[in-house]
Amino acid sequence: MILIICSLYSFLSNSSLLGPSVYIGVFAETFQISPVVASGLISYPNICYGVGTLITVPAYLKFGRRPVMLLSLLVYLIGLIGCGVSNSYGSLMACRLIHALASGVCEALPVQLVNDIFFLHERGNKLGYYTVCLCWGSTGPLYAGYMLAGGYSWRLFFYVETAFAGLLLILGFLFVEETTYKRRSPNGPAIPNPNGEKRVFGQDELDGKSSEEKIEHVVEVETMVPPRRSFVETLKPWSGINADESFLMTMVRSFSYFLVPAVLWVVTTYGIYIGLGALVFNYTFPIKIVAPPYNWKQENAGLIALGNLIGYGLAVPLVWTSDRLAAYLTKRNGGIREAEMRLGVLIPAAFIAPAGLIVYGYTAQDNLQWIGYFAGVAMTDWASYFYFTFTEAYAVDSYNANTSEMLIAMCIGKQMISFAFGIYVLDWVVQSGYVTIVAGIFCGVLFANNVFVFVFMAYGKRIRTFYAGTWLARWHKRTIRQVMTH
């Protein structure tokens, strides 16, 4: 239930972030601004969506997953209400930034929760379920487009999002309990003392005894299991403060992960694919499809999300492939798991996504049959699902300490890159054409990023070994606060 609720939050927050992209023309006309300025209502909240994790992730490490999740949902709800009643560009922008900043936590929290409550061999699969909800959130423009005919103009979209956000807040309060579990391990074997009480001896206290004496006196390792909480106890909206976590240092250390190749690859992967799927496609298709020779109605401009649905829909049945391939290679490797063993499933996707951009670019440039738009989006999104899910799983497998700080770096970096892809894309295609920008430059950048899968498959372990001896690894080792142990 926790995974379901967090996945739905990811879907809802992403759909509210991207849905208004079909209203760029409407916003431009309503507020008397240019389409490029109006697109800022999507581009700038997109930055906040990632930057917000710089605050929310240290907060849930310090104060607990549950209170931060509930507070995030509450502020998200307030921001959506403000969007629905805004009467100016400035107020709408402010409310958009608020709900994006608050809901950005669901970019990191589901991954953290998967690590909290699922075992290693389940994580790729469970991350896949969360990822598809996050990805299908980009179908928001589809619903937003058809809500134009609802009588409330663009406001209806925010009213509907508000209703679902309120329901999600109730579900979160009832079912998302605190998943932080601070393990307390004994320092050594428990040995009875002369008074008949158990106490824990360190290794230095055992060194003077013979092997026979050690075996004779060691009785068991005491396992400290906390009592199970009742349902009512899980409803407490606050959690204890973790004194071991430093709010500031968590923020600072997160930026060091930009120096780690595997993490940087996740950042560029997410940033490029989000920039393409969430911004480039959603910005350009509504403009192209309502103009000649297509002349579609404005409310149909969100139909490009069907390509998104098809692409991810064809990818979801293959979510098991990464875990299955890794398990097979682990067995062949004598039961020893290497992080790179799951990467082989990315090879077909590495080539299909760039091909999708070529299809989309030439369709837009030459006004070809409209089916080309959907084919290009479906191909790109099909491949992006694999890269979204399994590059992140690879990074988490590779570096299982201070994972939350790594997630901060991923969230900030990918939103910055996607912002760069989308902020001036409308000006770029006007000046240079769709073939040059989409089928040329964007395609080349994406392909260069994708083929790094071969680099990590061949040299990933050597890279990790090298980094283990650097100052960066030593610094993180001294400051480890959490390790994913199962």
Side-chain angles (χ1 to χ4, degrees):
M1 181 60 76
I2 292 173
L3 177 62
I4 289 171
I5 291 173
C6 286
S7 298
L8 289 176
Y9 189 17
S10 296
F11 169 82
L12 194 65
S13 64
N14 208 26
S15 67
S16 64
L17 178 68
L18 303 175
S21 61
V22 297
Y23 299 150
I24 290 177
V26 177
F27 289 147
E29 182 179 350
T30 301
F31 300 123
Q32 298 298 303
I33 54 179
S34 69
V36 174
V37 174
S39 68
L41 288 167
I42 293 87
S43 300
Y44 292 108
N46 184 58
I47 290 183
C48 288
Y49 196 62
V51 173
T53 58
L54 195 61
I55 299 173
T56 54
V57 172
Y60 76 58
L61 292 176
K62 187 74 175 180
F63 306 109
R65 285 34 158 180
R66 176 173 170 80
V68 173
M69 173 78 167
L70 295 179
L71 181 61
S72 164
L73 279 166
L74 180 61
V75 177
Y76 172 65
L77 178 63
I78 294 172
L80 288 176
I81 294 173
C83 289
V85 299
S86 294
N87 291 313
S88 67
Y89 174 80
S91 62
L92 181 58
M93 175 67 82
C95 293
R96 289 278 291 160
L97 295 177
I98 289 171
H99 82 69
L101 191 68
S103 60
V105 69
C106 67
E107 286 277 271
L109 190 54
V111 180
Q112 182 72 56
L113 294 175
V114 164
N115 280 291
D116 285 347
I117 61 183
F118 293 105
F119 291 99
L120 175 64
H121 67 280
E122 299 175 303
R123 289 179 188 162
N125 200 20
K126 297 301 187 289
L127 280 176
Y129 298 141
Y130 146 70
T131 303
V132 74
C133 288
L134 179 66
C135 294
W136 269 340
S138 58
T139 59
L142 175 64
Y143 325 125
Y146 281 107
M147 287 179 191
L148 281 175
Y152 289 96
S153 180
W154 51 269
R155 300 181 190 275
L156 179 62
F157 175 76
F158 291 108
Y159 294 155
V160 173
E161 289 276 355
T162 298
F164 281 109
L167 176 61
L168 205 60
L169 177 59
I170 296 172
L171 292 176
F173 176 78
L174 292 175
F175 298 111
V176 179
E177 62 182 276
E178 182 58 60
T179 63
T180 302
Y181 177 58
K182 194 171 183 181
R183 291 171 174 80
R184 297 184 341 190
S185 301
N187 296 323
I191 301 177
N193 65 19
N195 296 324
E197 300 173 347
K198 285 184 181 179
R199 69 188 185 93
V200 176
F201 280 73
Q203 185 62 41
D204 56 338
E205 297 179 79
L206 293 176
D207 286 341
K209 297 180 180 294
S210 65
S211 298
E212 291 78 8
E213 288 178 306
K214 292 178 185 178
I215 295 173
E216 181 180 353
H217 286 84
V218 173
V219 290
E220 65 178 9
V221 174
E222 190 173 12
T223 303
M224 303 173 185
V225 180
R228 183 177 293 276
R229 291 173 295 174
S230 67
F231 175 71
V232 174
E233 289 174 329
T234 65
L235 296 181
K236 184 174 66 173
W238 61 86
S239 303
I241 297 176
N242 189 345
D244 292 335
E245 290 291 345
S246 170
F247 195 96
L248 180 61
M249 283 305 298
T250 299
M251 298 171 63
V252 172
R253 283 196 302 263
S254 64
F255 290 97
S256 68
Y257 274 102
F258 289 122
L259 303 176
V260 180
V263 177
L264 186 60
W265 188 41
V266 177
V267 169
T268 58
T269 294
Y270 267 79
I272 293 170
Y273 276 109
I274 291 174
L276 292 171
L279 301 181
V280 174
F281 295 152
N282 284 331
Y283 284 4
T284 57
F285 180 80
I287 294 175
K288 289 291 299 183
I289 208 66
V290 299
Y294 307 107
N295 297 315
W296 287 19
K297 295 181 179 179
Q298 184 68 48
E299 56 262 31
N300 294 329
L303 282 174
I304 193 61
L306 291 178
N308 176 285
L309 284 170
I310 293 170
Y312 291 129
L314 293 175
V316 169
L318 302 175
V319 66
W320 53 270
T321 54
S322 175
D323 283 341
R324 187 71 60 85
L325 175 62
Y328 169 75
L329 295 177
T330 299
K331 186 176 181 180
R332 287 187 56 184
N333 197 39
I336 300 174
R337 169 72 69 91
E338 299 289 354
E340 290 75 22
M341 289 178 175
R342 66 169 72 250
L343 293 180
V345 297
L346 297 179
I347 294 176
F351 298 94
I352 291 176
L357 290 183
I358 293 174
V359 171
Y360 188 94
Y362 274 92
T363 301
Q365 180 74 27
D366 298 332
N367 293 322
L368 303 180
Q369 172 59 245
W370 57 263
I371 197 69
Y373 294 108
F374 295 88
V377 170
M379 293 168 67
T380 304
D381 286 350
W382 181 88
S384 73
Y385 178 79
F386 291 92
Y387 269 84
F388 282 154
T389 305
F390 302 134
T391 58
E392 187 165 42
Y394 168 61
V396 172
D397 287 349
S398 299
Y399 304 100
N400 57 10
N402 294 346
T403 305
S404 296
E405 296 164 13
M406 180 169 64
L407 295 176
I408 295 174
M410 292 177 182
C411 292
I412 294 176
K414 68 186 182 184
Q415 300 305 127
M416 291 296 185
I417 293 175
S418 64
F419 174 81
F421 265 74
I423 184 63
Y424 295 121
V425 66
L426 296 178
D427 288 339
W428 292 340
V429 295
V430 169
Q431 295 172 3
S432 303
Y434 287 92
V435 169
T436 300
I437 299 300
V438 179
I441 297 174
F442 288 174
C443 178
V445 171
L446 179 65
F447 182 70
N449 177 83
N450 285 359
V451 296
F452 264 89
V453 65
F454 296 104
V455 175
F456 286 104
M457 288 177 66
Y459 302 105
K461 185 176 180 179
R462 298 181 193 177
I463 294 173
R464 289 188 286 117
T465 302
F466 169 78
Y467 267 78
T470 63
W471 65 269
L472 185 62
R474 291 191 294 271
W475 181 41
H476 273 272
K477 186 176 181 180
R478 289 194 303 268
T479 58
I480 285 177
R481 291 292 180 268
Q482 52 167 318
V483 178
M484 303 309 173
T485 57
H486 57 282

